[in-house]
Amino acid sequence: MPGMAPIRRKALPALLGVPVVLWQLAFFVLPLVFLVVITFWKVRNFKLEPAFDLGNWEKVLTSTPFQRALVYTGEVALIATILSMLLAFPAAHAIALRLSDKARARWIAFLIIPVFSSYILKVYAWQVVLSPGGVLNVAFGALGLPQADLLGGMLSLHIGLLTLTLPVVTLILTFALMGMDKTLIEAARNLGASRAQVLLQVTLPAIKPGLGLAAVTAFLMAFGDYASPVFLTGSNPPTLSILIVDTVKSGSQWPRASVIGVSMLAILALAFVLVQLATAKREVQR
Amino acid sequence: MTRQIDLSRRGFIGAGAALAAGTSLRWSPAYAQEPQVLNYLSWPGNADPYLVAEFEAENNCKVAIKEYVGGDQMLAVINQSPPGSFDVVLADAEYLHLLKEADFIEELNPADYPLQDFWPEFQKFPLHWFDDKLYAVMTDFGYLGLSYNTEVYKPEEVSSYAAMWEPKATGKVGFFDWYLPSMGCISLSNGNRPPFDIDEAAFEALKEKLFSLKPQTAGFYTIADIFSSLRNGQAHLIPGIGEWVTLGLRLDGAPVDTILPAEGGIQWTESMSIVKGTPKADLARKFIQYTTSPRGQVLMATKADNKKSIPSIPGWKLLAETMPDQAEVLRLQLDKPNVMDDWKAGRVALRQLPQQQAIEDWNDVWSEMKSL
């Protein structure tokens, strides 16, 4: 009996992890396998029919709308990532390193609340604010300013996407900065480093994995988003998510829609791996 | 690991069987078998109590609706559901031949329905008859043309679809995100009559004309966003929609109207059919009779969020007696200029599926337009 104790002690954490593994198997791995399998199926009379047909891949990958949407969605997600990192970092820096403990907790709560409110609702609210007859233009009119075409372009799209990404990115960066060894900053300052030098040579390298995680998260959210491109640009032009919906709408082409979905997942996985590699290199150097 | 992944052809074919059995478009057969439930496959909102409460009370039954948006989705639902899932289907006229070819709908006895009450033009509506046999009864219709913002445009400025290419319209032309009515109007503007029966050369010309509208485009809208973009001024012109959108908005105070430009407009038509194999054919027939009765027609025309024209002359009369103000705004007055004038003047073409190209070809052009 005494010999059993260490084994049990080791097995318990693994056993506790089993539900999560089962959950991931049932709701991520299996659907993913189905998604890949369906890309080879056919649609006849609006019904899915099992087959092994490479035609869906060929049709989608060589189609101009797909290629254009791929480039466009990549650009949009990249810009959204850069914008949210640039806007989030100063805020995260102030929250993590400048505020008192009490004020910090309050600001973190402020950032968490928007994550739990409906994103679709917020996108619709932006529509009301930005539209030609909307809140902002009414205010412009009252102030004697000219009317502005705010809805239906890059500006409105990125406002929508930032609504989605900014709180999350700010939180990740805040936690990364809170977790860094602050004596490093003090030491650098004592040794005569300027504020810019501290930021570039001490703070940023110290939170590099956090920066990577924040950037990948922003890219992932913007790349897959459906609501902002539909409701704030009128699908003009369509992103890959919109293309998935269009593909299903016209002729129930679930297999071709799955090809787009699998391609998107592959791109996101690639982005994730690249960022992992970039942050891992740093670990080796240290 | 490798033993678990079967990359053979058979593996791919078998692996998704469970998924195929559970696709979301299926209609619950358990519910379908209830004797007092009429299962109705229809565009959204058509089982609104305003429309069906009286029928339900008279026949001691419940109308259960499975809603679809667009003919493609309707075909997908009916193809993927077990036989007997539906008793009545409401479809756009241009999809009926597909329902007929796939053997989904019953032949109807013309004597069962008040066809002689309809406007003579609609008594033998071509898309409802196959080999001189009736398969669907018209319930309502409307016209599609060019909808516009009345604060920006006077009616004479939008008397031609050419208004969409004017500098004034740059970035202000919205589209209903459905290739059929949108491309139909562009086809009309290219002088094609009928707009959906065009040869390859005309199809190429249509494609070029459509693509030349891209710089003018505000967006491609879902049904909900058609209403909001017209209302909030995001779009000033939208082709391929009609009073089914603008009438309700106008009554609500929005500065919008629809015109049938000189090049013509398109008629959409909804009809009801009895689904083949239903054990409730009797109730289904009664439901179609009720909907085409004067009272059913008046309700169909005046539902608050979706105003329509109706084919029944007694329906027009009852509307004029019971809701004269509605008869006026709907232009359903026998003794005044009315919706039938446009039809009689030959200004309206039937909405049909592409006749000489595959649906997919038109859809592909539409997808390309969006992605330009």
Side-chain angles (χ1 to χ4, degrees), chain A residues 36-52:
Chain A
V36 174
V37 167
I38 280 175
T39 64
F40 299 98
W41 284 19
K42 278 186 169 168
V43 173
R44 203 166 288 136
N45 294 327
F46 300 90
K47 265 186 272 193
L48 277 174
E49 279 186 6
F52 185 73

Side-chain angles (χ1 to χ4, degrees), chain B residues 108-120 122-125 128-129 134 136-138 292 311-313:
Chain B
L108 305 175
N109 179 1
D112 285 342
Y113 307 98
L115 298 179
Q116 69 290 345
D117 285 351
F118 287 4
W119 283 93
F122 300 144
Q123 289 183 5
K124 199 148 186 191
F125 193 68
H128 294 165
W129 296 74
L134 181 70
V137 181
M138 186 188 288
T292 48
S312 159
I313 295 175

Side-chain angles (χ1 to χ4, degrees), chain A residues 34 37-38 46 234 236 246, chain B residues 12 15 19 79-80 214 220 370:
Chain A
F34 280 137
V37 167
I38 280 175
F46 300 90
N236 188 23
D246 286 358
Chain B
F12 274 101
L19 188 78
N79 267 292
Q80 291 166 13
K214 183 69 182 196
F220 303 90
K370 288 177 72 179

Side-chain angles (χ1 to χ4, degrees), chain A residues 10-21:
Chain A
K10 270 185 197 165
L12 191 61
L15 277 176
L16 288 175
V18 165
V20 178
V21 173

